[in-house]
Amino acid sequence: MSEPIRITRAATKKSKPKDAELSFGTVFTDHMFVVDFQEEKGWYDPRIEPYGPFSLDPACAVLHYAQAVFDGLKAFRGKDGRVRLFRPQKHLERLNNSARRLCIPPVEPELALRALVELVRLEMDWVPSTVGTALYIRPTIIASEPFLGVRPARSYIYYVILSPVGAYYPEGMNPVKILVADKYVRAVEGGVGGVKTGVNYASSLYAAEEAKHQGFTQVLWLDGRERKYLDEVGTMNIMLKIGDEVITPSLGHGTILPGVTRDSALTLMREWGLRVSEREVSIDEVARAARQGALKEVWGTGTAAVISPVGELAHRGERIVINQGKIGELTQKLYDAIVGIQYGTAPDTHGWTVGVE
Ligand code: COI
């Protein structure tokens, strides 16, 4: 679809928060992108309009059966003042994979990328500039058909909203304490753990709240069959350094979200000549490595926090302290390398960024 995107500008503009006041996902910009879908018409009427509430029929499918997918990416203002999107094509590809799994019609990639660029260009003044801040971009598709039968809806809304953000975890780059979940699971083989749909996050809340009440920032999920193998940490992919091997759970079982930061970190570490394995890793292997002094570093990767060091894992009463609770060397190197590309202070040799002029 090379249809032009209609623009209706907001009559009034909101005041923008200072960079130092930014938290995560609380403030939204003046405009949003919207496009509708109906079975007979396909996607139609792409537009940028003032940010505001939708009018939804109380019977619409998303409100009952959670037929919805989303993604999350960021735009950064570099030291040179230029605004860059980080790997937008990869995020849109993942959005469409998520959509297919939820029986949602995929969006046209060319239009979707053009919409992101045009929306961010219009909201350029909202992109903060301090390192650690960004404009978070939330593409979302919801099933809008009012119908209570269980089948794929016949109408959808794809929309994109923008939010200037600071650190995702209040801890920032300080290592977090994580509780290994042994009562609840996040995903099972054949389920939807490998795609980005709201139900994965809704169903994670109970375990996360229990962990918080016990003084932990998040949970480390184990596999749904044996409660033995590492899955994800909180809302992020997990990586570990044991001896000289960097390990992250493989995507093969379809339970792990193919993180864009995960992919970026793996690419960089392989280029640095590190021994990197995508394989199953059990919590017993991690505990054993810790006892032998071989567990060097543990960190999470995700768009929201980029890299989040793990300082401690608690498992069945055992406390595993990692690198004396401090940020590891490789964790820091990865953070610096990714952030360097995002803010344009390091060369983008992979073509990961898309400039918004
Ligand atoms: C991420 O970007 O790491 C996430 O998945 C978190 C998001 C759901 C806020």
Side-chain angles (χ1 to χ4, degrees), residues 147-220:
F147 176 65
L148 295 184
V150 177
R151 59 144 170 79
R154 292 181 182 147
S155 61
Y156 298 87
I157 303 170
Y158 171 53
Y159 64 93
V160 182
I161 54 173
L162 307 176
S163 172
V165 296
Y168 184 73
Y169 287 126
E171 288 93 334
M173 268 298 270
N174 292 323
V176 292
K177 285 188 186 176
I178 300 290
L179 178 67
V180 181
D182 50 16
K183 206 152 103 203
Y184 309 104
V185 296
R186 182 195 149 265
V188 291
E189 272 184 59
V192 290
V195 300
K196 217 159 173 68
T197 179
V199 290
N200 285 336
Y201 299 83
S203 64
S204 76
L205 298 176
Y206 199 85
E209 283 302 291
E210 276 197 2
K212 274 179 203 152
H213 285 132
Q214 295 175 52
F216 297 93
T217 301
Q218 259 299 351
V219 295
L220 170 60

Side-chain angles (χ1 to χ4, degrees), residues 24 70-74 91 94 136 138 168-169 196 201 232-237 257 261 301-306:
F24 188 87
F70 70 95
D71 217 279
L73 67 154
K74 281 176 170 172
H91 281 280
R94 186 172 70 180
Y136 186 75
R138 172 53 65 87
Y168 184 73
Y169 287 126
K196 217 159 173 68
Y201 299 83
E232 292 190 7
V233 59
T235 60
M236 309 181 84
N237 294 118
L257 190 78
T261 313
T301 65
T303 295
V306 187

Side-chain angles (χ1 to χ4, degrees), residues 172-178 298-300 307-312 326-328 331:
M173 268 298 270
N174 292 323
V176 292
K177 285 188 186 176
I178 300 290
V298 180
W299 66 93
I307 300 284
S308 176
V310 175
E312 191 178 317
K326 297 198 296 269
I327 305 180
T331 309

